[in-house]
Structures are given as C-alpha cells and as structure tokens.
Amino acid sequence: MKKTAVFLLVLITLFSCKKAQEEFVIEDSEPHKPIVDFGFHYDDFNVHYDTIQSQDTFDKILSKQNLNGKKASEIIKIVKDSFPTSVRFKRPYICLRSKDKYNKLQYLIYQPNRLDYYLIDLTDSIVGFKKSRPLTFKVRTVAGELTGSLTQTLRSLKIEPTLSGRLTKVFAWSIDFFKSRKGDKFALSFTERYINDTIYDGVDSLRAAYFEYKGEKIYAFPFVQERNGKVDYYDENGKALKNFFLKAPLKFVNITSRFSKNRFHPVQLKWKAHKGTDYAAPTGTPIMSTAAGIVEQAGYTAGNGNFVKVKHDKIYSTQYLHMSRILVRRGQRVKQGETIGKVGSTGLATGPHVCYRFWKNGVQVDALQLKLPNSQAMEGRNLPRYKEQIRPLKRELDSVADLKFKK
C-alpha cells in the first residue's frame, strides 16, 4: 500500500513538472510585443519605475540620475513654468534611460493622476511640458432589479458603486432607498470615461434613469433651464424632482414620535402637545439642515438641550433639538443637506434622537403633512425643448427595460 502511494506521488510530481514546463515553453515562444505608453516604445530604453517617497522632490530625484553633466537645479529652473512646484506622495514616475553603457537619463515622466502627466525631455535641449492622455466617453444603458442595497446591486452589474451616491441624491426627494424592496426594477443610462480608449476611469455623468417605487415608475432626466449651466433633474412631465426641503434631517429615518396636540411626555410625565417629529438614531449621527438658510439660533436650553434653528425664507424655519454637538454658529449660512450638528440626548430626552420642528409663517406645523414647494419649476417656455431632449432617452430606457423584463 505504501509503495503504491509513493509511486502515485512520484507520478503526479513528474506530470506536474512536465505540465509546468510545457506552459513555460508555450508562454516563452510567443512573439515579444513592444510596450508602448505615453507615446514611447519602452523597448528603446532602459526603463526604471518608481514612486514618490515622503521626502522626495524633483531636485532629489534628478540628482540621482546620470544627467550627462547637467545639474538638477538648472533643469528645474528651465522647466519650472511647465512643471508643478511639488510632487504628490506615492504617485508614480518613470525614468527612460539610454540603452547603452552610459545609461543616461533621456526622459522623466511624472504622473500626478491617471489622466495627466508631466514630461522632461533631456535628449537635446531641455524641455518640460504637461500632457493629458486621450480621454473617451462611452454610453452604457442597463436595466436591472434590486437584489440587496443599491450599491450591492450596481456592483453585481459591474457598475461603479459610486454611481449609487449620485442616484440617491437625484431621487432623495421622491424615493426612500432604505424602504425600497428587493425586486424593484430600474433602468439607467450613463457615460463612462476611458483613458487611451481602454483604461476604465469611472462614471462621468448620469444621462437618464427610472426606478420603480411603490408600484410607480419615477423618471429622472437632467436639464439646464438657464444660461448659468445649473443642472436640475425632472420627471417625464417636466416636474422638478428636487423639493425645497429634504424629507428628514437624517439619512436613516426611524420615527419614534410624531407631531401631536396631546402626547404623554416621557420625562415630564404629563400630557402636552408635541410640536415636532422625533427621529431616533445613535449618538453622533450627523444631523442635516433640510433646506438652505441662515442659522437664526444655536445654543442650549433646559428643555431643548443643544439646538439649532435655521431660517430659510420669510415663510419657513426649522429647528433641531437634543444635539450632542452643535457644528454651526449664529448668522452662518448653511446649504441643504449640510451637517449642522450631531444626534444626542441633551435637554428633556430619554435617549439619543433629534426632535425636528417646522415653522410656517411663525406657527409650528407638522412637517410630514405639508405639501412643500419644488425648487426651480420647469418654465413653460422651456418645456417643449425639454420634451424633445428627453424623448430618445426615455425610449432608450424603456427599450432596455422591455428586453430585460419581457416575459
């Protein structure tokens, strides 16, 4: 039995070695192809690859090269107008040296990002310049259905997951992605960037999209109404998707108490009006201003704890109570979605949450029951142009979805 096992082991080893040999021979017998990049045939040079270290400067890098009598300081003085003043840590650079016994530096290529590069040419007179690799854009249109989170679903379709952040922002006023369900259908059309037509460089722009939400298709198309170039998103009828106010001051919504004329207060232990909406969240969760405005108050009271009040216009104001930290000051202008504080349990609170209060014409109202205005409604004069622009995009989305989901 032992002899048989040893024989089998030797046989397997010999077979593995033979297979490895065959694979090596096949690979080595392929014709050698010259590597071309940045416009150079690398076979024509001794190529040295390296990355910028913490203490590196152009002077230090050049000083280590065979410069054929030239001084690093002189080279830098000549190319200073076309080269950056500093180098970025861990970014790559390439030295192309002569393929002879002198191994002289002929070109230095520094790449601060994937698209751009700087080049010093030492072959004749000293020249330095910045160049960009060719960038192309390709349209991609896909249809799918949620299999988990939006990010996970996009990843399964081999779509850059960062697109989920853009989609969440576009649909923030009409879709709660945390309440969307597996099986909800969608279609997306977007452009992707490619360097040298082959190197993927990410998603560039969203051309069009729709999501099914609660049985309804919600479309989004980008459109520029004015000459200032501001892009807003609208549905197929020209209605703005972006509302004047976000639906809630937190990204993760967990309502624990609603606006009420008579509610039993858990701390004061008596019945009284609750003129706000409570959203529970862990201590430290970012609290967002639901609309742009000016911070009217930022401070502390025994009941409110740390709080911020924002005035949005002559009609609307909002207030955020029980913060663990206040991150803005009185008189400061804030943007919609900007973090103004962190969730806490200061003041009359039994646990970490934010009490969100809403004023209309100086009277506290229930924010969840309000029909809030849209921002930048579609102007009538722009509607025909908009409809003409989105017609092929909508047809493209619907066609891809029909092919994907046809029964």
Side-chain angles (χ1 to χ4, degrees):
M1 187 72 180
K2 287 183 179 178
K3 288 182 179 179
T4 304
V6 170
F7 174 74
L8 286 171
L9 183 62
V10 170
L11 189 63
I12 290 168
T13 303
L14 288 170
F15 177 76
S16 300
C17 290
K18 185 179 180 183
K19 186 178 180 183
Q21 248 184 349
E22 286 173 353
E23 288 177 350
F24 177 77
V25 170
I26 290 169
E27 185 180 338
D28 194 48
S29 64
E30 290 182 349
H32 186 64
K33 297 178 182 178
I35 302 171
V36 182
D37 203 359
F38 302 105
F40 295 99
H41 285 260
Y42 282 180
D43 280 359
D44 297 339
F45 303 93
N46 289 328
V47 183
H48 172 71
Y49 299 91
D50 212 333
T51 55
I52 304 296
Q53 300 304 309
S54 59
Q55 302 299 318
D56 273 347
T57 62
F58 277 127
D59 188 283
K60 284 185 178 180
I61 293 168
L62 286 167
S63 297
K64 297 175 185 176
Q65 311 301 322
N66 183 350
L67 299 176
N68 192 29
K70 300 182 180 74
K71 292 183 179 178
S73 56
E74 292 175 354
I75 295 171
I76 291 171
K77 188 175 181 180
I78 293 170
V79 303
K80 66 178 182 179
D81 293 333
S82 53
F83 249 66
T85 54
S86 60
V87 289
R88 291 176 57 194
F89 181 53
K90 290 294 182 184
R91 298 307 302 169
Y93 68 91
I94 304 170
C95 297
L96 302 182
R97 298 167 177 157
S98 60
K99 214 169 185 180
D100 55 26
K101 65 179 181 179
Y102 301 108
N103 200 30
K104 297 172 186 174
L105 181 66
Q106 297 189 311
Y107 300 96
L108 175 70
I109 303 165
Y110 165 62
Q111 200 175 354
N113 54 60
R114 296 176 70 177
L115 181 62
D116 304 314
Y117 64 96
Y118 293 88
L119 187 144
I120 297 178
D121 181 348
L122 301 172
T123 55
D124 191 5
S125 58
I126 300 169
V127 181
F129 48 85
K130 178 184 176 181
K131 297 191 76 174
S132 297
R133 303 165 96 178
L135 191 64
T136 55
F137 299 88
K138 300 179 183 180
V139 173
R140 188 175 170 197
T141 304
V142 299
E145 51 187 299
L146 292 177
T147 55
S149 70
L150 180 57
T151 301
Q152 290 169 337
T153 302
L154 294 182
R155 187 178 283 115
S156 70
L157 293 171
K158 293 182 170 43
I159 300 172
E160 186 180 32
T162 55
L163 181 58
S164 66
R166 298 194 195 187
L167 291 167
T168 302
K169 287 181 180 179
V170 169
F171 289 98
W173 296 267
S174 46
I175 296 177
D176 183 353
F177 282 103
F178 297 103
K179 292 185 178 179
S180 54
R181 299 172 301 176
K182 287 184 179 181
D184 284 351
K185 297 177 175 61
F186 62 87
L188 313 170
S189 184
F190 52 95
T191 56
E192 296 177 305
R193 296 183 304 273
Y194 285 84
I195 299 171
N196 285 351
D197 206 39
T198 55
I199 304 169
Y200 179 74
D201 193 46
V203 172
D204 184 72
S205 62
L206 179 66
R207 301 173 69 234
Y210 87 70
F211 275 87
E212 278 188 8
Y213 185 64
K214 295 182 178 180
E216 179 186 359
K217 277 186 180 180
I218 302 175
Y219 286 87
F221 301 97
F223 186 67
V224 179
Q225 287 206 79
E226 306 298 338
R227 292 181 180 178
N228 60 12
K230 182 184 177 185
V231 176
D232 277 311
Y233 285 83
Y234 301 85
D235 68 10
E236 73 273 29
N237 298 313
K239 181 182 176 183
L241 290 183
K242 185 175 182 178
N243 288 328
F244 185 39
F245 286 90
L246 294 172
K247 287 187 173 182
L250 303 178
K251 288 185 177 179
F252 301 89
V253 177
N254 181 20
I255 298 175
T256 53
S257 184
R258 296 175 180 270
F259 189 97
S260 173
K261 293 180 180 178
N262 196 22
R263 183 198 71 158
F264 187 75
H265 197 285
V267 178
Q268 294 179 320
L269 303 178
K270 64 179 182 179
W271 293 90
K272 58 182 292 188
H274 181 242
K275 297 183 178 181
T277 306
D278 289 348
Y279 297 91
T283 299
T285 300
I287 299 171
M288 303 178 294
S289 177
T290 54
I294 303 292
V295 177
E296 192 175 28
Q297 294 177 309
Y300 179 91
T301 66
N304 295 341
N306 294 321
F307 75 96
V308 170
K309 188 174 183 180
V310 180
K311 186 174 180 63
H312 304 291
D313 58 16
K314 293 180 180 179
I315 300 174
Y316 299 106
S317 297
T318 55
Q319 190 178 27
Y320 313 79
L321 313 182
H322 311 304
M323 295 177 168
S324 59
R325 288 182 62 197
I326 296 173
L327 299 178
V328 291
R329 64 186 183 281
R330 185 177 178 181
Q332 180 178 336
R333 181 174 293 278
V334 293
K335 299 177 182 177
Q336 185 180 58
E338 183 174 342
T339 300
I340 57 175
K342 299 292 182 72
V343 168
S345 51
T346 56
L348 294 178
T350 56
H353 74 285
V354 57
C355 179
Y356 176 55
R357 300 194 172 190
F358 203 103
W359 275 262
K360 182 179 180 181
N361 293 321
V363 178
Q364 289 193 62
V365 295
D366 186 354
L368 297 179
Q369 299 300 318
L370 276 180
K371 290 186 177 180
L372 297 168
N374 291 331
S375 63
Q376 287 206 275
M378 177 72 67
E379 294 182 18
R381 62 187 176 87
N382 288 325
L383 193 56
R385 178 166 63 93
Y386 173 73
K387 288 287 187 78
E388 185 66 25
Q389 180 176 310
I390 72 167
R391 190 174 293 116
L393 292 170
K394 185 175 184 298
R395 186 166 53 243
E396 191 176 334
L397 289 179
D398 292 341
S399 297
V400 169
D402 288 344
L403 285 173
K404 175 73 176 179
F405 304 122
K406 67 180 179 179
K407 295 179 181 178

